[in-house]
Amino acid sequence: MTNETNSRVHAFTDDALGDLDAVGVAAAIAAGTISAREAAEAAIARAEAVNPAINAIQVPDFDRALKAADNPAPGLLSGVPSFVKDNTEVEGLTTDQGSLAVKSRVATKNEAFTDQFLSAGFTMLGKSTMPEFGFNASTEYATLPPTRNPWNTGYSAGASSGGAAALVASGVVPIAHANDGGGSIRIPAAACGLVGLKPTRGRVAPAHAAASLPVDIISNGVVTRSVRDTAHFMAATQIHQAAAGMPELGLVEGPSDRRLKIGLIVDSITGFSTDDDTRKAVEHTAGLLTSLGHDVVEVELPVDQKFMEDFKHYWAMLAFSTQHFGKRVMSPDFDKTLTDPFTRGLAKTFKRNAWRTPAAIRGLKRSTQVYHQAFADVDVILSPTLAYATPELGHLSPAVDFPVVFERLINYAAFTPLNNASGGPAISLPLGRSSADMPIGVHISADHGDEQTLLEIAYELEAAQPFAKIQR
């Protein structure tokens, strides 16, 4: 399962899961070809085989999973094994937030999104890893082993849903929960060669943590290996609870005949130039879309550097709140002396600039209308997901001097935060490769509530350029 030449790790083998995606696994269970228990047993065996190499499981819950698989819950993806990210409450499990500072207690009930997630029929195998409080764009720790990218274990798996992405990319499960407060579905999807859709704010149940935020930047979703898996998950969420005040989203099953006007952006607002590999991937995708009959035109960035300054300040504010009010917002046993250097550096940054808070919040709230106006003349916007190809482990480590790693993160993840602040949907698709043979994600954004168009164009691109498979 491990290729020693390039440290590629995967769990694909001739078992009940094979190389099926989530829809395929659910169909096999429904047809009686395999049982839900056999699917769970295969996923557990795969996890035990590869997790020592990728370190993507925070809390295993295998015994309960096997019992649950004997009587799988109904749903569009009934019996499919999966994981929940470790910042989401699941009854009977702790929520550690990726931090040694949190001595979390066992949750006595699911949060609202967990119920919505499980309504798809998943067999839940445990919790996936994340960096401390989701603040980083790489699932690395100051004093603990990192989560590793299964395409090459010397590289970052992205973050903050890095554990979820590593588990799906390596074949342990076909689909896993992820959430996104600044790119945390789309960044690890890009790093690990997956599909990552960040829904419109309000499309799915909000994260429990969002209730106390002045601007809700967090969206729940999944990472998958196929567009249809993401589409089925989104349909399942709407069966459980349809989004109020939004266009209806049923099961999107393929591309549309409608040809789109697509805006193209290649460089970010930070002034940091997109690297050659990423630029080529985006330009190649633009050419592919043109060949499919779409109209691709260059457009201006809808926001300027002030937006990024506002988002940076808000990011730092969340760290300050965690560092100084952790006993209230995280756990009564929270120990601020155990947070990592990156969290502490962010908190200090906020303290020095606290006076900027009202203006920063107003700016982020204004971004909703600014984002909407960007789609007055185009249907979707194409851009990089990240400004440069997946870095090696250590480049974004929280142990790196704070000013250095903070600047690296701002440049790396500059394309994704606008969707979080504005609430707009976006999808990352694995359509490029770096010179180091690592996945590169291409990012497509749409207006609020228009996940259907994103899924339709994603289906079309997947058919025109099938996604690379780690086992080949």
Side-chain angles (χ1 to χ4, degrees):
M1 294 186 185
T2 302
N3 183 326
E4 297 297 339
T5 302
N6 61 6
S7 300
R8 184 175 291 190
V9 175
H10 72 77
F12 290 99
T13 188
D14 186 18
D15 58 12
L17 296 176
D19 64 354
L20 297 171
D21 65 359
V23 172
V25 173
I29 292 170
T33 307
I34 63 172
S35 68
R37 186 180 180 94
E38 287 171 330
E41 288 173 340
I44 291 167
R46 290 180 176 205
E48 290 172 340
V50 302
N51 194 58
I54 61 174
N55 188 38
I57 299 174
Q58 179 69 22
V59 182
D61 196 24
F62 297 161
D63 289 342
R64 279 206 306 174
L66 291 173
K67 290 176 183 176
D70 287 332
N71 186 24
L76 290 183
L77 298 170
S78 179
V80 175
S82 189
F83 284 82
V84 171
K85 184 176 173 181
D86 188 38
N87 59 0
T88 301
E89 296 283 290
V90 175
E91 182 182 358
L93 297 181
T94 59
T95 303
D96 299 317
Q97 300 283 349
S99 177
L100 294 174
V102 177
K103 309 298 184 205
S104 186
R105 298 171 186 186
V106 173
T108 57
K109 63 180 181 179
N110 293 337
E111 64 177 85
F113 174 76
T114 304
D115 287 333
Q116 189 173 39
F117 177 79
L118 294 176
S119 74
F122 295 122
T123 299
M124 214 275 288
L125 299 184
K127 288 194 163 184
S128 60
T129 55
M130 58 180 284
E132 185 166 271
F133 310 119
F135 291 149
N136 202 340
S138 185
T139 308
E140 298 181 59
Y141 310 94
T143 59
L144 298 174
T147 295
R148 296 177 178 273
N149 193 316
W151 288 88
N152 187 319
T153 53
Y155 282 73
S156 169
S160 62
S161 309
L167 289 165
V168 174
S170 65
V172 173
V173 291
I175 185 170
H177 166 235
N179 51 30
D180 192 318
S184 295
I185 294 172
R186 295 160 288 156
I187 292 168
C192 292
L194 303 175
V195 177
L197 172 67
K198 175 222 164 290
T200 305
R201 181 165 51 220
R203 173 64 78 182
V204 302
H208 176 70
S212 61
L213 297 180
V215 180
D216 178 8
I217 60 173
I218 305 170
S219 292
N220 280 298
V222 290
V223 286
T224 68
R225 296 192 299 267
S226 69
V227 175
R228 71 176 187 171
D229 280 2
T230 295
H232 277 72
F233 170 76
M234 290 304 302
T237 67
Q238 302 306 284
I239 291 170
H240 177 79
Q241 181 180 338
M246 230 175 268
E248 183 179 343
L249 180 65
L251 177 58
V252 182
E253 298 187 85
S256 169
D257 292 332
R258 182 167 68 112
R259 299 298 85 184
L260 305 178
K261 186 174 182 181
I262 299 171
L264 173 65
I265 294 172
V266 181
D267 287 307
S268 76
I269 57 179
T270 67
F272 182 87
S273 249
T274 299
D275 77 357
D276 288 345
D277 287 344
T278 303
R279 186 179 297 272
K280 287 175 185 175
V282 175
E283 291 174 346
H284 170 78
T285 302
L288 180 59
L289 288 163
T290 299
S291 74
L292 293 168
H294 300 282
D295 181 20
V296 180
V297 296
E298 291 189 16
V299 295
E300 296 293 321
L301 288 161
V303 291
D304 57 21
Q305 180 63 33
K306 184 183 181 303
F307 168 80
M308 187 53 75
E309 293 303 318
D310 290 342
F311 194 88
K312 284 163 59 178
H313 184 78
Y314 194 74
W315 187 5
M317 184 193 77
L318 298 180
F320 179 87
S321 298
T322 301
Q323 182 72 13
H324 293 279
F325 305 107
K327 288 185 181 293
R328 187 166 68 198
V329 300
M330 290 292 170
S331 166
D333 300 318
F334 181 84
D335 184 351
K336 69 179 184 180
T337 67
L338 297 179
T339 57
D340 71 26
F342 184 69
T343 297
R344 296 196 299 271
L346 272 177
K348 289 176 182 176
T349 298
F350 173 80
K351 190 174 181 179
R352 289 193 298 267
N353 298 282
W355 58 273
R356 291 197 62 246
T357 303
I361 290 172
R362 286 195 301 272
L364 295 182
K365 288 182 174 180
R366 280 196 300 269
S367 72
T368 298
Q369 184 60 28
V370 171
Y371 179 90
H372 170 67
Q373 290 169 348
F375 297 94
D377 296 319
V378 296
D379 298 298
V380 297
I381 293 175
L382 171 69
S383 73
T385 305
L386 295 158
Y388 54 93
T390 307
E392 293 185 50
L393 288 166
H395 180 74
L396 299 175
S397 168
V400 172
D401 188 52
F402 175 77
V404 174
V405 74
F406 194 39
E407 182 178 7
R408 288 174 179 175
L409 282 165
I410 295 301
N411 290 330
Y412 181 56
F415 289 96
T416 53
L418 176 58
N419 302 83
N420 299 90
S422 68
I427 194 167
S428 181
L429 300 172
L431 292 170
R433 306 294 295 175
S434 75
S435 54
D437 198 29
M438 294 297 291
I440 290 176
V442 172
H443 194 255
I444 305 174
S445 300
D447 201 359
H448 300 95
D450 197 13
E451 287 89 351
Q452 179 167 337
T453 296
L454 291 180
L455 290 167
E456 287 170 347
I457 196 69
Y459 271 117
E460 189 171 7
L461 286 166
E462 182 183 31
Q465 185 180 310
F467 306 148
K469 294 188 175 184
I470 198 171
Q471 67 271 38
R472 293 182 181 172

